[in-house]
Structure formats: structure tokens, C-alpha cells
């Protein structure tokens, strides 16, 4: 990788794609200084693989030891492989985030990667600013498991009694996750 730094040409990524299994295995052995470059390379190369090969690579990524992530998330790489993200994938990404620098920021980034919300939605930018009170109530509710359980029992509606959109709900849940007393309950929000 040091002999062939980014940006990579189509020909270079095609050559690397033939060694995708070896590159994935390298994640367990590479140091933190080279891990970001290896992840970037894998993100570029896996899209060149057949669907069967991408499935195999996703299984290999999931089989890596937890320390192979080095505080980073493999969620984007799994998505590039065409994998359907699972709760264990998310839990593993959150565990990796907690092991790295700035865990509260890394956890939020992992959640945003998992749910496809790349940017926070502020109450002002939301389609309906009437969502703000629900967001504030959620922030207060996550402080104790009992309060959160009672909060979940009520349907998420805005001041006008209209249902709050799923993107607004997800954004609010991601925003309060790091302060949640019961993260397990937060991860089980839908069921």
C-alpha cells in the first residue's frame, strides 16, 4: 500500500480486488497508522467484486477479531459489500467506537452510518419545528430506564398531534444515545 498510495486508478483497484481476502485479513495485523488507508482501499476495491465475492468479504469482515477495527467502524465497508446490517454489526461498531479516541463522537458517527443519517437534523431544519418538544422530552427521558420505558409507551407526535417522521425520530435517538442510561433499550427502540 505504501508503494501505491491513493488516489488509485481503475487498474490499480482491479489488481487490489484480486487480493481482497488478503487485504481483509490484513486488518487484524495492520497498525493504526495504516488502518485508515487499508479501509479506504477496501472500500474502493470491494465494489469491483462479484456479488458472491462481496458476500464472502462481508463474512470475513464480520469474523475479524474486535480489535481489528482499531476504534473504527466497518459498517460502510459492509454496506459496500452489499451486506444487510444487523444488530450485532451495530453493537460491534459501537464497541469499536468506545475503544477509540473521542468515543462519544465515534458512537454517533457509527449510528449515523448504520441508519444512513450522515448529517444531524436540527429542530429548525426539520420539516416541522413542532418536533422540538418531543426531542427535548426524549432527551429528558433517556436519563433513567423507567422514564424511557414510559416515554416509549406514548406514540411520537408533535405539538399538533401529528406523527413524527422516522428520520426525525432516528436523528433524535442518535443525538441522545451517548447520554442514555439504558443503551440496550435505545437499541431496541423498534421492538
Amino acid at each position: 500500500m505504501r508503494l501505491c498510495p491513493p488516489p488509485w486508478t481503475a487498474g490499480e483497484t482491479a489488481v487490489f480486488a484480486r487480493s481482497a481476502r488478503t487485504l481483509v485479513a490484513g486488518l487484524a495485523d495492520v497498525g493504526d497508522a495504516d488502518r485508515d488507508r487499508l479501509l479506504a482501499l477496501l472500500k474502493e476495491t470491494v465494489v469491483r467484486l462479484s456479488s458472491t465475492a462481496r458476500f464472502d468479504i462481508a463474512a470475513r469482515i464480520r469474523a475479524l477479531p474486535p480489535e481489528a477495527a482499531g476504534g473504527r467502524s466497518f459498517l460502510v465497508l459492509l454496506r459496500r459489500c452489499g451486506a444487510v446490517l444487523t444488530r450485532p454489526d451495530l453493537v460491534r461498531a459501537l464497541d469499536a467506537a468506545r475503544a477509540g479516541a473521542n468515543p462519544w463522537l465515534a458512537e454517533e458517527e457509527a449510528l449515523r452510518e448504520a441508519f444512513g443519517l450522515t448529517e444531524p437534523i436540527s429542530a429548525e431544519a426539520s420539516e416541522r419545528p413542532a418536533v422540538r418538544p418531543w426531542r427535548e422530552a426524549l432527551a429528558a427521558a433517556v436519563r433513567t430506564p423507567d422514564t424511557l420505558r414510559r416515554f416509549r409507551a406514548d406514540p411520537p407526535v408533535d405539538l399538533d398531534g401529528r406523527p413524527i417522521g422516522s428520520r426525525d425520530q432516528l436523528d433524535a435517538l442518535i443525538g441522545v444515545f451517548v447520554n442514555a442510561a439504558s443503551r440496550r433499550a435505545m437499541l431496541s427502540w423498534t421492538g
Side-chain angles (χ1 to χ4, degrees), residues 67-148:
E67 59 274 5
R72 292 155 187 86
S73 167
F74 290 148
L75 296 176
V76 170
L77 187 53
L78 286 170
R79 281 214 172 143
R80 291 250 173 132
C81 289
V84 174
L85 300 181
T86 63
R87 182 173 173 158
D89 292 332
L90 178 57
V91 169
R92 185 175 175 163
L94 291 171
D95 288 345
R98 281 190 285 279
N102 300 320
W104 54 93
L105 294 174
E107 282 180 326
E108 182 174 332
E109 183 180 329
L111 288 164
R112 290 193 180 286
E113 285 175 3
F115 295 107
L117 286 174
T118 55
E119 296 294 324
I121 303 171
S122 67
E124 293 79 24
S126 171
E127 290 181 28
R128 297 190 333 250
V131 170
R132 181 189 305 255
W134 184 84
R135 292 167 82 77
E136 291 169 355
L138 173 64
V142 299
R143 294 184 186 137
T144 69
D146 288 339
T147 308
L148 181 60

Side-chain angles (χ1 to χ4, degrees), residues 1-6 8 16 23 30-35 37-38 41:
M1 281 186 3
R2 291 183 184 166
L3 293 175
C4 187
W8 298 288
F16 282 125
L23 294 173
V30 72
D32 285 341
D34 295 318
R35 187 172 282 113
R37 188 180 303 191
L38 181 52
L41 177 60

Side-chain angles (χ1 to χ4, degrees), residues 151-177:
F151 182 82
R152 284 184 64 186
D154 294 329
V157 294
D158 66 14
L159 289 174
D160 301 323
R162 294 182 299 188
I164 294 174
S166 62
R167 301 313 266 175
D168 282 318
Q169 288 181 52
L170 276 172
D171 184 65
L173 289 165
I174 290 168
V176 300
F177 184 80

